[in-house]
Amino acid sequence: MWLWTVLVFFALPQVDGDVVVTPELEKRFPDNFSFGVSSSAYQIEGSWNVDGKGLSTWDFYLHKQPDIVEDCTNADVTTDSYRLFKRDIQMLKHLGVKSYRFSLSWTRILPDGTTNHINPRGIAHYRKFIDLLLENDILPFVTLYHWDLPIAFGKNGGWLNENTVDRFGDYARVAFSAFGDKVKNWITINEPFIHCLFSYELGLHPPLIKSPGKGFYECGRNLLLGHAKAYHIYDAEFRFQGGKVGLVVDAQWPIAASRSEEDAEAVKDYLAFYVGQYLDPVFKGDYPQRLTARVVATSTREGTEFRLRPFSEEEKKYIHGTYDFVGINHYNSVVVYRNESVNGMYEEPSFYDDVGIGTYMDDSWPASSFDSMRANAPGFYSLLLYLKDTYNNPVVFITENGFPLSSAEGLDDWKKVNYIRNYLDALMDARADGSNCQGYFFWSLMDSFEWTSGYGYKFGLYQVDFDDPDKKRTARKSALVYKEIIRTGTTDFNYNPDPYQYNGTVY
Ligand code: NOJ
């Protein structure tokens, strides 16, 4: 008899207070986990010349040279969110998100980029928007700079010019003072690596400056100084508002192509150039040694000047420790192998020549609609643990994660659903293993203007009909599933029966 009693006791679910804890229920996000979605000003606002807004580099160069963009489009109108912001908030409400990450358009607030003229209509718009978010219990996560630089600075070297650092500080101060009573989560700069690579190494994004192997590093350096400036301004003048300030870095996960020592080194180089270049100065006070050593080696080999300008001791101190959290944009993994360019494979000098690696996506990873993007959720887990171990377990927000589909996938976007589910499972596993990740923002709320790729990449939970003058938005299956994940705090439910059949909520 006693044996039965013992067996029955162990077979019963464990009772914790009045909550029955079964293994499935343990795998859930805590109530205070910050589920959200992300967007950025130029990609969704439209109204490029409305209410006193000045021109950004994107406005200017896409008007002047439309063929910079694959389909020769621009974001003059895009999803029309400047006008339709109330509808966007209804969608956020429908999803049940707790937070919304969006960016401010610098030239809506300061039309010529400087504090010579502060535009009251720009400020009023964002205040109205932020108020409405808060009334709906949605916390704003506000990015100050998501690539739309005031044109005057763009024509003057952009982020290669140190003057831009000071002007960014002025702009940050105006934003903190105009919105800081309501906004408690600030992001200074979005994705230094991608921004510097496309705008100042390759010259493919405005302001179209091609300065390989030099502009790329100089841009990153100035963005870090700009980030630190904004952080110190907040610290010195606005800390009483009780908010937090962080930088957003894009970080994909590198996996060695083989077991060779060479490829293991290539992975370390990837992390130093793509991630450590920005996070090490903030968390550790200087560039990774490996980054500096490789640029020294290639500069010497090429007989060129040393192109990675070191930080002075004062600058190191200024940047070190400027974080309350770190934002990470993560989309995919990459397979990495050693690929020295002594054979003249890359332009010299160039960032590619310096890092000396090749990358590709593994064919076995589930593909999005584009070859350039495949899903590998275990890499996300590895990245989160790497951040924990390398940077002393900081508070992390995943400020972007998403999977682009083409219009052919329509509303029944199963590939995106699977992606979200697998990536959130990986995130939960990383949390269980100690990652201090406190939030996740899906990219993106709705389809929008994907920079030089135009409108072909459908990242949205909501489909947008760009031909409709009203820019009708329709919930995809992924929106309904994400909503259910947020509601239940789990990914573990049956996705097939109603109500997850597409039911097309339209806005
Ligand atoms: C990175 C950028 O921050 C965002 O603007 C872009 O649309 C997404 N990733 C998708 O590529």
Side-chain angles (χ1 to χ4, degrees), residues 43 146-147 190-191 329 331 400 443 450-451 459:
Q43 293 178 274
H146 201 121
W147 307 352
N190 179 66
E191 295 197 351
N329 293 352
Y331 286 83
E400 288 184 29
W443 184 276
E450 181 56 21
W451 309 109
F459 276 99

Side-chain angles (χ1 to χ4, degrees), residues 162-405:
E162 282 179 18
N163 177 52
T164 303
V165 174
D166 293 332
R167 300 294 75 78
F168 178 68
D170 298 343
Y171 159 56
R173 179 180 288 107
V174 171
F176 295 148
S177 114
F179 313 115
D181 56 333
K182 318 237 172 209
V183 173
K184 303 301 168 196
N185 290 284
W186 291 101
I187 289 155
T188 53
I189 281 159
N190 179 66
E191 295 197 351
F193 174 83
I194 291 288
H195 190 42
C196 295
L197 183 74
F198 280 87
S199 289
Y200 302 96
E201 167 91 14
L202 304 171
L204 297 172
H205 283 188
L208 310 179
I209 296 177
K210 192 164 185 245
S211 170
K214 189 158 186 214
F216 168 72
Y217 301 114
E218 200 60 16
C219 162
R221 192 180 192 285
N222 283 331
L223 284 176
L224 283 171
L225 289 167
H227 155 77
K229 178 152 278 193
Y231 186 92
H232 287 300
I233 289 172
Y234 193 84
D235 233 13
E237 302 169 36
F238 300 95
R239 207 33 101 178
F240 70 91
Q241 293 175 339
K244 297 195 160 66
V245 182
L247 171 73
V248 162
V249 167
D250 47 298
Q252 315 319 326
W253 183 247
I255 297 168
S258 76
R259 287 172 189 274
S260 72
E261 185 53 34
E262 276 193 312
D263 289 348
E265 288 295 305
V267 162
K268 290 183 191 159
D269 290 338
Y270 179 100
L271 287 165
F273 277 77
Y274 286 68
V275 182
Q277 182 176 175
Y278 313 103
L279 289 188
D280 279 25
V282 170
F283 283 87
K284 300 181 174 180
D286 201 0
Y287 285 132
Q289 224 275 317
R290 178 175 279 276
L291 167 71
T292 310
R294 279 198 73 88
V295 184
V296 168
T298 44
S299 309
T300 311
R301 195 186 72 220
E302 292 160 359
T304 56
E305 58 180 323
F306 176 55
R307 295 166 277 99
L308 174 69
R309 203 151 57 95
F311 291 116
S312 68
E313 288 310 311
E314 207 183 315
E315 287 170 333
K316 285 184 199 166
K317 274 199 215 111
Y318 190 65
I319 297 172
H320 192 190
T322 53
Y323 66 93
D324 301 320
F325 63 87
V326 59
I328 298 291
N329 293 352
H330 174 80
Y331 286 83
N332 55 271
S333 298
V334 282
V335 182
V336 171
Y337 57 97
R338 177 91 283 157
N339 190 15
E340 294 293 3
S341 59
V342 271
N343 51 9
M345 170 114 181
Y346 299 119
E347 199 170 338
E348 294 180 10
S350 67
F351 149 73
Y352 294 105
D353 187 44
D354 290 335
V355 67
I357 60 173
T359 63
Y360 62 90
M361 301 246 170
D362 193 305
D363 282 351
S364 69
W365 298 338
S368 68
S369 302
F370 304 92
D371 276 346
S372 54
M373 180 84 83
R374 286 171 177 272
N376 180 49
F380 185 31
Y381 169 89
S382 303
L383 172 70
L384 285 166
L385 289 202
Y386 172 81
L387 294 168
K388 162 183 165 287
D389 296 339
T390 311
Y391 298 110
N392 198 19
N393 205 10
V395 173
V396 173
F397 287 97
I398 298 304
T399 36
E400 288 184 29
N401 176 241
F403 205 50
L405 299 180

